[in-house]
Amino acid sequence: MDGPGSQEPTPGRSTDPITAVPVRYPERWVAAGVVLVLAAMFVNMLVTNPAFNWPFMLEHMFSDPVLRGVWVTLSATVLSMIIGILLGVILAVMRLSGNPILVSVSWLYTWFFRGVPRLVLAVLFGNIAILYSTIHIGLPFDNYWMPMLGLEGDARFFAIDARTLLTGYTAGLLALSLSEGAYMAEIIRAGLQSVDKGQTEAAQALGMSRSKIMRRITLPQAMRVVIPPTGNETIAMLKDTALLAYVPVTIELFYQLQAVGTRTYQIFPMLVAACLWYLAITSVLMVGQYFIERRFSRSERGAGGHVVGGAH
Amino acid sequence: MAEENHMTGLDQGLESTERTGPSSDALVVAENVHKSFGRLEVLKGIDLQVRRGEVMCIIGPSGSGKSTFLRCVNHLEKLSAGRLWVNGELMGYRQRRDRLYELRDSEIAAQRSDIGMVFQRFNLFPHLTVLGNVIEAPTQVKRIPKAQAVEHALELLERVGLPDKASAYPEQLSGGQQQRVAIARALAMEPSLMLFDEPTSALDPELVGEVLDVMRDLAEGGMTMVVVTHEMGFAREVGDSLVFMDDGVVVEEGSPTQVLSDPRHERTQAFLSKVL
């Protein structure tokens, strides 16, 4: 009659807290044991297999050319994301403009750059100087209309040698940026379309112009939807800068690490070094992404300041 | 001249050419307003006049075209035919001889800035505070200095009974509070006409009163208002005129007491017997 201690079931209402024996899951413990053994085997292999050659890796992982490679990787990530986002905004606005030519050009662009693998693009742009030995700035189609008008000469103002302009780094950066533009266009379009039509109507009714509505009302609200996938894109881009090695961009991180590996016949340690470098940088970016997303979910929640945690 | 016969679709049923607009006491003049969405004709020739200071309530079953008409007034919808003037200005177009020229985006925006609109679903800007919502248009469109806009905004928030909510975000407010902010936001542009598109239809019943109170205050202050509503009590008490629309036409128009208690048309009677 007095609570959980008594053997007999108590009739009537019990107000005592429940202290029932929980259900046991022995099979989970068996599985956990197996996983633990496998993990131990893996760590053992890391330590004992001489092919890892950890001292060699540590010695060469922070050499000057490699550190320069890290810097190139970071700058290529930032630059290609900036260009990609700008291109994405333009393409998304084109896509939503309603003008049939702008819409189809935007669609075609996205179709092409999303359809071709980035590795292929990188190599393709590395060889683009085959198409253009020199790049001219001037009026288009002058070779057609100048003779038609009976004019001599050309309408080109100056020329640049493509082999100086499209060095490996520029060509690779171009490939990554143009490709990123296609993905960002889709992300930004989804963001813009996620903003309720009533927002535009309310702003129109207040007498705001189209461009003001875009800048002050629609884009800020689209950001909420655009920011998280853009963070993912940045992290993916950081990893994709390794493709620059195939342009080839010789100053790039992965190229440098591989170069050390092949030169010294220590291929595997340098590949592990590459893994560690990319892991380290992406981890930093992930932390940044976490804080940016938290900030944006807060401004969405309002000024109250009490963020509901653990939503990520 | 051949030019003279150049009539656009908007000209049908109109003889007058050089109309600069209606007599001065009419703020809104709608003449034979038609609106079609594809093949669906939603407005089939609306003729209405709203005098300065008048509160006109528009009632009717859903799908009757009353909201569409309201959206035509500030050119959120383009008319398919007919003309609509606000304050003597032809909305959305410039007329030279027999031809209509579409106004530029900025010109339409300027026309709209004189007309406030309150929506059924509030449509407050969720990324801005209440104060941010109210000062957005004055500072961005009228380019009023921020301090002055804030001062005016706080007065307006006081007037709609929300003096302490300036720094709140819209989603922290109840529906009734949001709609009152929306009214303050529209008033901040000091419009000469206010349009209300079913302002209480999305509200919980107990919140309807606070919004109607603000609207009543506004009417007493002499604001010209066109209110699409289902609130018959408000229409009777505050409205100067009542319009019953059905199937894209104005079926009956008159003083609220007359239309509500002694409707002349069968369709009006049938509708009122369901809602009253």
Side-chain angles (χ1 to χ4, degrees):
Chain A
M1 295 294 260
D2 38 74
S6 80
Q7 295 298 316
E8 260 147 313
T10 42
R13 291 150 62 87
S14 165
T15 52
D16 299 326
I18 295 174
T19 53
V21 178
V23 178
R24 308 288 184 198
Y25 297 99
E27 66 278 11
R28 290 185 190 174
W29 287 107
V30 173
V34 171
V35 169
L36 212 60
V37 170
L38 288 173
M41 285 164 70
F42 180 70
V43 171
N44 181 51
M45 193 245 330
L46 287 183
V47 177
T48 56
N49 193 321
F52 280 104
N53 199 350
W54 295 103
F56 178 87
M57 191 201 83
L58 284 174
E59 190 191 326
H60 289 82
M61 203 178 155
F62 301 100
S63 65
D64 278 349
V66 171
L67 290 180
R68 217 172 304 128
V70 171
W71 171 245
V72 170
T73 287
L74 288 175
S75 76
T77 306
V78 171
L79 285 175
S80 54
M81 281 311 293
I82 290 173
I83 301 172
I85 289 168
L86 290 177
L87 266 174
V89 172
I90 295 169
L91 288 164
V93 171
M94 279 169 73
R95 187 76 183 272
L96 299 173
S97 69
N99 178 306
I101 293 175
L102 297 182
V103 171
S104 39
V105 166
S106 170
W107 183 88
L108 240 131
Y109 181 99
T110 318
W111 169 77
F112 178 82
F113 280 100
R114 291 211 306 172
V116 179
R118 274 196 181 158
L119 176 57
V120 177
L121 282 177
V123 179
L124 179 82
F125 275 76
N127 290 292
I128 206 113
I130 295 172
L131 276 186
Y132 298 103
S133 56
T134 45
I135 291 170
H136 299 273
I137 308 287
L139 300 176
F141 296 115
D142 58 343
N143 49 336
Y144 297 113
W145 57 262
M146 298 272 297
M148 264 189 248
L149 296 173
L151 296 170
E152 297 276 328
D154 58 31
R156 298 165 191 203
F157 309 130
F158 57 91
I160 311 161
D161 187 358
R163 277 156 299 180
T164 46
L165 182 72
L166 291 170
T167 60
Y169 181 76
T170 326
L173 193 65
L174 207 58
L176 293 180
S177 310
L178 294 179
S179 159
E180 189 55 39
Y183 291 94
M184 285 309 302
E186 292 296 291
I187 291 171
I188 291 163
R189 182 168 69 104
L192 291 177
Q193 284 178 328
S194 75
V195 180
D196 181 40
K197 245 188 89 202
Q199 293 290 310
T200 309
E201 287 186 349
Q204 281 180 323
L206 285 166
M208 292 175 76
S209 67
R210 222 173 258 279
S211 58
K212 271 228 166 87
I213 295 171
M214 179 57 82
R215 262 188 303 124
R216 308 260 325 163
I217 307 298
T218 312
L219 268 181
Q221 292 184 58
M223 289 307 275
R224 189 166 41 94
V225 176
V226 167
I227 291 248
T230 305
N232 290 337
E233 286 294 311
T234 309
I235 290 168
M237 177 57 79
L238 184 110
K239 293 182 289 175
D240 282 353
T241 55
L243 299 174
L244 293 178
Y246 295 93
V247 170
V249 180
T250 53
I251 48 174
E252 184 270 334
L253 174 63
F254 185 49
Y255 192 99
Q256 280 300 325
L257 288 166
Q258 271 192 312
V260 176
T262 44
R263 197 172 59 233
T264 56
Y265 299 103
Q266 296 284 348
I267 292 171
F268 206 77
M270 294 329 281
L271 290 175
V272 174
C275 291
L276 293 179
W277 264 118
Y278 287 115
L279 273 174
I281 306 172
T282 49
S283 303
V284 172
L285 289 181
M286 281 174 191
V287 171
Q289 185 187 22
Y290 169 78
F291 282 106
I292 289 175
E293 277 182 32
R294 204 176 67 160
R295 206 192 101 85
F296 269 82
S297 68
R298 177 187 291 163
S299 69
E300 182 196 358
R301 299 228 162 273
H306 29 256
V307 179
V308 184
H312 308 280
Chain B
M1 278 166 82
E3 285 264 272
E4 305 272 56
N5 294 325
H6 242 109
M7 300 279 255
T8 64
L10 283 143
D11 285 80
Q12 52 174 270
L14 268 183
E15 280 153 25
S16 58
T17 50
E18 271 287 345
R19 282 207 56 166
T20 46
S23 57
S24 64
D25 71 325
L27 187 61
V28 182
V29 177
E31 234 177 45
N32 195 29
V33 169
H34 284 72
K35 175 66 191 179
S36 303
F37 294 103
R39 287 204 183 147
L40 180 71
E41 195 174 26
V42 181
L43 298 178
K44 301 171 179 170
I46 305 287
D47 291 286
L48 278 177
Q49 297 212 357
V50 185
R51 284 173 291 105
R52 273 171 214 284
E54 179 178 341
V55 176
M56 175 186 277
C57 294
I58 303 178
I59 59 169
S62 58
S64 59
K66 50 197 195 312
S67 285
T68 305
F69 174 71
L70 202 68
R71 294 160 59 83
C72 284
V73 173
N74 66 353
H75 209 62
L76 279 183
E77 303 287 356
K78 281 186 184 178
L79 315 195
S80 308
R83 295 283 192 282
L84 202 149
W85 289 268
V86 176
N87 234 338
E89 270 189 60
L90 184 62
M91 288 302 291
Y93 302 94
R94 183 181 297 113
Q95 186 161 3
R96 284 211 201 106
R97 273 183 263 143
D98 279 348
R99 264 200 160 159
L100 286 182
Y101 298 84
E102 277 191 7
L103 293 183
R104 290 170 186 287
D105 180 44
S106 58
E107 295 169 313
I108 294 175
Q111 287 186 330
R112 286 189 185 127
S113 67
D114 191 36
I115 305 170
M117 186 163 193
V118 175
F119 297 85
Q120 182 178 351
R121 305 215 55 90
F122 329 134
N123 294 347
L124 291 179
F125 305 132
H127 60 302
L128 301 176
T129 60
V130 164
L131 187 67
N133 267 275
V134 180
I135 65 169
E136 178 70 12
T139 53
Q140 291 297 318
V141 178
K142 283 190 169 173
R143 303 205 168 280
I144 289 171
K146 194 176 171 205
Q148 196 184 327
V150 167
E151 197 183 325
H152 186 211
L154 293 175
E155 279 169 33
L156 286 169
L157 289 175
E158 179 101 47
R159 192 163 151 200
V160 300
L162 297 166
D164 50 343
K165 295 289 185 193
S167 58
Y169 279 84
E171 64 162 19
Q172 297 168 320
L173 305 180
S174 73
Q177 291 172 328
Q178 287 193 46
Q179 194 61 297
R180 286 187 279 155
V181 173
I183 294 172
R185 177 176 72 175
L187 290 176
M189 289 297 281
E190 302 183 309
S192 52
L193 169 69
M194 284 286 285
L195 308 174
F196 292 85
D197 187 6
E198 303 198 28
T200 56
S201 297
L203 296 178
D204 291 338
E206 77 272 20
L207 302 177
V208 168
E210 60 189 61
V211 172
L212 292 182
D213 285 345
V214 169
M215 291 169 63
R216 185 177 294 117
D217 268 6
L218 206 55
E220 278 163 9
M223 177 61 79
T224 313
M225 294 159 63
V226 182
V227 185
V228 169
T229 188
H230 293 293
E231 296 293 329
M232 299 304 157
F234 177 85
R236 185 195 300 268
E237 201 188 316
V238 181
D240 298 309
S241 59
L242 186 64
V243 171
F244 173 68
M245 274 180 73
D246 193 11
D247 200 22
V249 294
V250 172
V251 176
E252 192 161 350
E253 186 185 358
S255 81
T257 10
Q258 181 262 308
V259 176
L260 288 175
S261 41
D262 183 24
R264 295 201 192 104
H265 286 77
E266 224 173 276
R267 280 198 275 176
T268 320
Q269 286 163 13
F271 175 73
L272 289 176
S273 71
K274 280 180 217 151
V275 297
L276 286 180

